[in-house]
Amino acid sequence: MFIKKFKIVSIIMAMVLILSQGIVFAGNVNAFAIKISGPGVEKELEFSLDDLKAMPEEAQINEEYIYNSKSGQKSVKVKGVSLAYILEKVAGLTVENALVNFEASDGYPIDPQTLQDILNQDLKYILAYEIDGEPIDNDDNPESEEIVIYRKLKEEGEFGTVFKLVVRITVGEAIEQAEESVKELTKPEIEPVKEIEEIVFTDITEEYKFAETAIYELAKRGIVSGVGNNIFAPGDVFTRAQFCKIAVEAIGYELEEYSGNFTDVKAENWFAPYVEAAVREGLFTGYTDGTFRPDKEITREELAAVVGRAAVLAGLVDQEKMNKFVMEKTSFEDKDEVSSWAANQVAWLDAQGVFKGVAEEKFEPKKVVTRAEAALIVYNALFNK
């Protein structure tokens, strides 16, 4: 009897030990906040929040950071550790400049940064573990350790200076070996504006001041024009045919003779060569009934799809990368109303801050775009550095 009781007690103790080991193991699943690795550093490292907080005073940053969101400019008090300090003093750099990739735990795509920017003392990249005096919790799991990377603005109005849920930083090879990747970070040089007669529109009232710069810049480049008598008509709309012209002019495609693919577009129509070029390059598509519907007013999601395709064709973003941007990650209240064929483009443009001043809380995908709104979206996406 004693032996049986001893065996039972032994089994129970063994089970408790196994379970306790499992609990300890589970507790260590997220024992670090950030990993740093790659050919550009001497050592691969893992840091917990306690590790970051224990860094010397010279590594710590406790400053105000200003950033831009769709709802406007915001300011927060950020506490954390200098990323430049960690890379230089702790990980040890093996390169002078390289592409640095931030990987988010939720898979959200983040543009590569340059080591040169990270080491720039004016930009102050920070691994933040506290914001406005509070710990960070963007994944709704208080048990996980999180950091957010902030950097200072390079220029007024700049977006994309806050990187959430970053769990890995990879420092790549020397910049010379990553030349092709660097090109992805750089927008094509805008052609110098030719000296032309001064353009003046007398109807850019206070209501449309948000698009004034965009309207004039596009007009100087011959991409948009007024309707006569110094009138731009910012509150009017663009048709699909009219926006074909804008898209083709913005990318700089050559016109070709119309091939007669649509039943409602004739060779003698002024817009026929633009429709031909836009469809040929994949900017626009026709309808299944064989029509193009040139006089149909263009909606926000239609325009966004075209501008997004134009950004890919202009080399501003890879299609593969754009496909990673999804509406679920946007903050638009009506995100579910955006058609699937425009979703990636809308989400990518939104992440670049293109819709600022046009769409804030709601995107309203089926709403017809005004001429002022269209000008702003095109300028922000393709020309505004």
Side-chain angles (χ1 to χ4, degrees):
M1 187 70 175
F2 174 80
I3 294 174
K4 286 184 178 179
K5 288 183 178 180
F6 179 79
K7 286 184 177 179
I8 292 172
V9 171
S10 298
I11 291 171
I12 292 173
M13 290 180 65
M15 291 177 67
V16 170
L17 179 60
I18 291 170
L19 288 172
S20 65
Q21 287 175 335
I23 292 170
V24 170
F25 178 77
N28 287 333
V29 168
N30 191 24
F32 65 89
I34 191 78
K35 288 185 176 181
I36 297 176
S37 62
V41 293
E42 295 175 354
K43 295 177 285 188
E44 293 190 2
L45 301 169
E46 294 181 1
F47 296 96
S48 68
L49 292 186
D50 286 339
D51 293 332
L52 296 177
K53 294 174 182 178
M55 290 271 181
E57 187 65 28
E58 61 179 323
Q60 301 292 330
I61 297 176
N62 188 8
E63 291 185 15
E64 180 184 51
Y65 276 69
I66 295 172
Y67 67 97
N68 289 290
S69 69
K70 288 188 298 181
S71 58
Q73 193 175 85
K74 295 185 177 181
S75 171
V76 290
K77 190 67 174 293
V78 178
K79 192 173 183 179
V81 175
S82 163
L83 177 54
Y85 179 94
I86 290 179
L87 294 181
E88 287 186 305
K89 306 291 187 181
V90 185
L93 291 170
T94 62
V95 293
E96 293 184 2
N97 198 13
L99 291 180
V100 180
N101 288 292
F102 296 162
E103 180 182 328
S105 61
D106 63 349
Y108 193 72
I110 299 174
D111 282 338
Q113 309 295 297
T114 64
L115 182 58
Q116 188 175 34
D117 274 353
I118 291 173
L119 300 181
N120 184 338
Q121 294 182 356
D122 292 331
L123 297 182
K124 284 195 176 180
Y125 282 75
I126 179 176
L127 303 183
Y129 49 74
E130 190 177 289
I131 299 174
D132 286 335
E134 297 291 336
I136 299 168
D137 183 18
N138 289 312
D139 63 357
D140 296 325
N141 179 8
E143 299 300 321
S144 63
E145 295 199 340
E146 290 182 48
I147 64 155
V148 175
I149 298 180
Y150 283 80
R151 72 162 170 81
K152 301 283 188 175
L153 296 176
K154 286 184 185 178
E155 55 191 39
E156 187 178 354
E158 182 184 18
F159 272 75
T161 61
V162 182
F163 313 100
K164 297 181 179 180
L165 297 171
V166 178
V167 292
R168 182 184 293 274
I169 297 173
T170 304
V171 182
E173 298 176 340
I175 204 77
E176 292 78 14
Q177 299 175 25
E179 184 176 354
E180 291 302 314
S181 298
V182 174
K183 291 178 182 178
E184 296 177 10
L185 297 176
T186 309
K187 291 187 178 182
E189 290 296 323
I190 298 176
E191 291 293 327
V193 179
K194 297 178 181 178
E195 290 296 327
I196 57 176
E197 187 177 341
E198 183 181 6
I199 298 172
V200 176
F201 296 121
T202 59
D203 59 341
I204 310 297
T205 60
E206 190 63 33
E207 180 182 359
Y208 300 106
K209 284 292 184 181
F210 70 93
E212 183 175 35
T213 297
I215 292 169
Y216 278 109
E217 288 298 321
L218 294 184
K220 290 175 184 177
R221 292 171 172 81
I223 295 171
V224 299
S225 58
V227 297
N229 297 321
N230 294 332
I231 300 297
F232 181 74
D236 289 355
V237 299
F238 281 118
T239 63
R240 282 167 55 86
Q242 290 169 336
F243 200 72
C244 271
K245 179 180 183 298
I246 291 171
V248 170
E249 293 285 0
I251 300 297
Y253 286 132
E254 293 184 3
L255 301 182
E256 289 188 10
E257 186 177 350
Y258 176 59
S259 58
N261 289 327
F262 301 106
T263 58
D264 54 353
V265 177
K266 307 300 180 185
E268 59 268 24
N269 294 143
W270 69 265
F271 51 79
Y274 294 102
V275 171
E276 179 72 19
V279 173
R280 180 192 68 218
E281 300 297 339
L283 291 168
F284 270 84
T285 59
Y287 292 87
T288 55
D289 62 358
T291 63
F292 184 76
R293 304 181 194 178
D295 296 326
K296 179 179 178 293
E297 295 172 345
I298 194 164
T299 64
R300 280 186 176 179
E301 66 178 1
E302 288 176 326
L303 183 140
V306 173
V307 173
R309 294 168 193 153
V312 171
L313 292 170
L316 303 181
V317 60
D318 286 339
Q319 185 64 60
E320 183 179 357
K321 180 176 181 180
M322 181 174 285
N323 291 343
K324 294 180 180 179
F325 286 78
V326 294
M327 288 305 301
E328 287 79 1
K329 291 290 185 180
T330 71
S331 59
F332 289 126
E333 296 175 2
D334 56 353
K335 63 184 73 175
D336 293 338
E337 297 176 20
V338 176
S339 300
S340 58
W341 47 263
N344 297 125
Q345 289 90 345
V346 173
W348 180 79
L349 291 168
D350 177 51
Q352 314 313 307
V354 168
F355 300 124
K356 185 180 181 182
V358 173
E360 301 294 341
E361 296 180 358
K362 292 186 177 182
F363 181 66
E364 300 178 274
K366 306 302 188 288
K367 185 177 181 179
V368 174
V369 185
T370 67
R371 286 165 57 90
E373 291 171 341
L376 183 66
I377 292 170
V378 170
Y379 178 69
N380 282 346
L382 304 179
F383 297 96
N384 189 18
K385 291 186 176 181

